[in-house]
Amino acid sequence: MKIFESKNNCCGCSACEQICPKNAVKMEPDNEGFLYPVIDGSLCVECGACKNVCAFQNDYEKNKSQKAYAVKHKDFDTRMTSRSGGVFIAISDFILEKNGSVYGAAFDDDFSVCHIRTTNKSERDRLKGSKYVQSDVKDTFTSVKNDLKNGMYVLFSGTACQVAGLKNYLKNTDTSKLYTCDLVCHGVPSPKIWKEYLSHCEKKYKGKVTNADFRDKTLGWKAHQEAIWIDNNKHILREYTYLFYENDIERPSCYNCKYTNLDRPADFTLADFWGIDRIVPNFSDNKGVSLLLINSDKGCELFNSINNEIDFVECDINKSIEPNPNLSRPTAKPKSREAFWIYYSKKGFEKTLKKYYKKIVIKRIKKRINAKYKSIVKKV
Ligand SMILES: Cc1cc2nc3c(=O)[nH]c(=O)nc-3n(C[C@H](O)[C@H](O)[C@H](O)COP(=O)(O)OP(=O)(O)OC[C@H]3O[C@@H](n4cnc5c(N)ncnc54)[C@H](O)[C@@H]3O)c2cc1C
């Protein structure tokens, strides 16, 4: 039995592992650090459950985005500690108030990223903020199923491929109390590179990582840099961010993503509201605005119940998604990707970071000079 033919066709959601009735499928990291299902032939009975559940290779439940809103959580601290406008907190508070469970991506003790189950606000706050690395969903699909069977309200948040995987996994379960949020996603970077980067920071600053923020907002929502705390001292850095945006470290299936459109697997889609200054002038204060797409009647009902927690403006859906490229196409696979990973496997992370960071900085400086030159020529 083969679950996938090419790495372009496996998003690593782990539905196949969790559905296997014989525990014959295990998610294991490849040499880039991404998880893929591996079948133990001695346990497999060739029932085909693993292939049938795959949302990436088969079809998925499609909800057409119906409405678009610009949203800011009314609580300023909530917004500052969230990636965008903090709409996720308002949605998840609704579920927690019904004694439900909220699932999403959190840092583990060693700052690796994995999905966890939370049932109160302080645990749920661990889900706040975007972690620009692929989250390991572990056994959360099984746990969601148990919660639903026990009659609980459940909110599951994650990338669109994770939500689609969960929905296929739950095909024979009553999902009337399940709510889902997917993210607009540029692509998920390698967990191995993230770990290497943290070790690099520990060596460089001679201490232990005590906190991390992939997108520190102190210079504003639009600025993009990471913050790494070593022994509680904060360092604002750009090395990981630059690697992320060069697209060499994303999962192979991300360049082949089938969720970069308005056929969404979830009830809600969350994103940064790029272009807000043009679309709703004076709504943004550069502290974060969420783009919220509502994709189902269930989502619409929940949204009506959280109105008091948020400031919002309804927007034209087509205009709202236009500045967000990953709602119309997947991130392109760079020509440099293969060379990046060959260099890394031969020379290790430190040399790779040094080489690629220098290259990226030079590229960015050249781009800025070119843009300045063009604007001067235009003026003349
Ligand atoms: C890898 C990645 C790429 C992204 N790319 C884009 C993009 O191209 N354009 C865009 O507009 N927005 C993108 N986003 C989404 C955006 O950054 C915000 O997460 C989103 O707008 C929600 O913001 P918020 O303020 O409501 O909540 P926040 O508190 O910022 O977000 C928390 C939510 O994000 C989930 N989450 C965080 N990290 C992960 C992860 N690694 N995997 C799965 N779920 C995660 C949590 O479970 C939680 O539900 C991306 C997010 C991630 C994780």
Side-chain angles (χ1 to χ4, degrees):
M1 171 76 61
K2 216 172 179 188
I3 301 180
F4 61 93
E5 291 295 331
S6 136
K7 286 188 175 173
N8 295 337
N9 290 325
C10 173
C11 65
C13 75
S14 96
C16 52
E17 178 187 51
Q18 298 188 58
I19 205 152
C20 177
K22 299 288 173 193
N23 283 329
V25 183
K26 288 276 162 283
M27 300 300 289
E28 287 181 11
D30 72 348
N31 56 353
E32 294 180 355
F34 294 108
L35 296 175
Y36 290 92
V38 175
I39 299 180
D40 180 341
S42 68
L43 298 175
C44 176
V45 291
E46 310 240 344
C47 66
C50 52
K51 265 196 97 80
N52 294 337
V53 78
C54 180
F56 206 78
Q57 295 178 80
N58 304 313
D59 214 358
Y60 66 98
E61 183 189 308
K62 294 181 176 108
N63 297 297
K64 239 312 157 256
S65 297
Q66 300 164 7
K67 287 186 173 188
Y69 291 94
V71 181
K72 292 186 293 197
H73 199 288
K74 280 186 179 165
D75 181 66
F76 185 73
D77 281 347
T78 296
R79 203 147 58 89
M80 283 307 282
T81 47
S82 298
R83 163 59 213 133
S84 309
V87 68
F88 168 72
I89 296 302
I91 296 170
S92 52
D93 274 349
F94 175 86
I95 300 291
L96 292 176
E97 274 148 26
K98 288 188 167 300
N99 294 322
S101 54
V102 176
Y103 291 78
F107 283 124
D108 218 339
D109 293 343
D110 63 353
F111 292 95
S112 56
V113 175
C114 62
H115 265 59
I116 60 165
R117 173 181 188 266
T118 69
T119 51
N120 59 54
K121 290 188 184 182
S122 72
E123 283 173 359
R124 184 282 317 276
D125 284 352
R126 288 177 59 196
L127 314 183
K128 269 188 191 172
S130 290
K131 290 98 189 164
Y132 295 128
V133 62
Q134 183 159 36
S135 173
D136 179 353
V137 302
K138 301 212 163 183
D139 61 355
T140 50
F141 291 4
T142 312
S143 181
V144 166
K145 193 177 192 170
N146 287 338
D147 286 350
L148 292 172
K149 279 188 173 164
N150 289 330
M152 287 176 82
Y153 279 88
V154 176
L155 174 69
F156 183 92
S157 65
T159 56
C161 55
Q162 290 167 337
V163 174
L166 172 73
K167 290 253 180 117
N168 270 12
Y169 171 81
L170 294 174
K171 261 197 178 140
N172 299 319
T173 306
D174 175 4
T175 53
S176 51
K177 286 188 174 173
L178 174 71
Y179 291 80
T180 48
C181 290
D182 62 47
L183 308 173
V184 173
C185 180
H186 178 84
V188 284
S190 153
K192 189 171 181 180
I193 294 294
W194 170 239
K195 289 230 84 173
E196 292 266 32
Y197 182 58
L198 293 178
S199 306
H200 158 82
C201 292
E202 290 188 338
K203 264 185 244 151
K204 187 168 166 186
Y205 298 108
K206 298 183 178 59
K208 278 263 157 235
V209 173
T210 46
N211 198 4
D213 182 349
F214 284 82
R215 200 145 174 185
D216 179 69
K217 270 188 178 172
T218 45
L219 298 180
W221 167 49
K222 291 176 192 164
H224 194 164
Q225 70 262 317
E226 67 265 13
I228 306 288
W229 284 256
I230 303 285
D231 295 336
N232 299 319
N233 294 315
K234 182 175 176 180
H235 301 269
I236 302 242
L237 303 163
R238 288 195 170 80
E239 290 155 303
Y240 186 81
T241 299
Y242 280 12
L243 284 183
F244 175 44
Y245 281 114
E246 282 303 294
N247 304 326
D248 292 313
I249 59 171
E250 274 79 340
R251 188 177 177 101
S253 59
C254 296
Y255 312 114
N256 189 31
C257 179
K258 55 198 258 190
Y259 308 104
T260 51
N261 51 53
L262 291 183
D263 288 330
R264 308 304 302 175
D267 299 302
F268 300 102
T269 296
L270 318 180
D272 284 301
F273 203 136
W274 301 130
I276 185 69
D277 294 330
R278 193 169 31 83
I279 296 168
V280 191
N282 305 323
F283 193 71
S284 172
D285 52 4
N286 199 18
K287 304 286 186 242
V289 177
S290 295
L291 167 63
L292 175 70
L293 301 180
I294 300 199
N295 314 323
S296 68
D297 294 345
K298 214 171 165 184
C300 199
E301 262 169 46
L302 193 155
F303 180 72
N304 290 335
S305 311
I306 60 168
N307 280 352
N308 287 339
E309 315 303 317
I310 54 176
D311 293 319
F312 62 96
V313 182
E314 187 170 353
C315 303
D316 178 276
I317 200 160
N318 293 316
K319 280 189 191 148
S320 309
I321 65 167
E322 195 191 86
N324 214 319
N326 292 103
L327 274 168
S328 56
R329 55 164 173 74
T331 294
K333 182 176 176 174
K335 286 195 184 103
S336 54
R337 192 182 190 282
E338 208 181 323
F340 175 94
W341 285 98
I342 292 173
Y343 192 85
Y344 166 69
S345 71
K346 285 188 181 151
K347 305 277 181 183
F349 183 73
E350 291 296 333
K351 284 197 174 143
T352 308
L353 180 65
K354 202 169 167 192
K355 176 178 164 166
Y356 281 82
Y357 184 62
K358 194 171 154 196
K359 219 166 108 181
I360 301 164
V361 170
I362 292 169
K363 196 168 121 185
R364 285 186 173 225
I365 292 171
K366 275 188 186 162
K367 208 171 153 188
R368 243 181 255 161
I369 293 172
N370 261 343
K372 258 225 162 93
Y373 175 75
K374 274 187 191 154
S375 87
I376 292 169
V377 169
K378 212 173 162 190
K379 270 185 202 157
V380 171

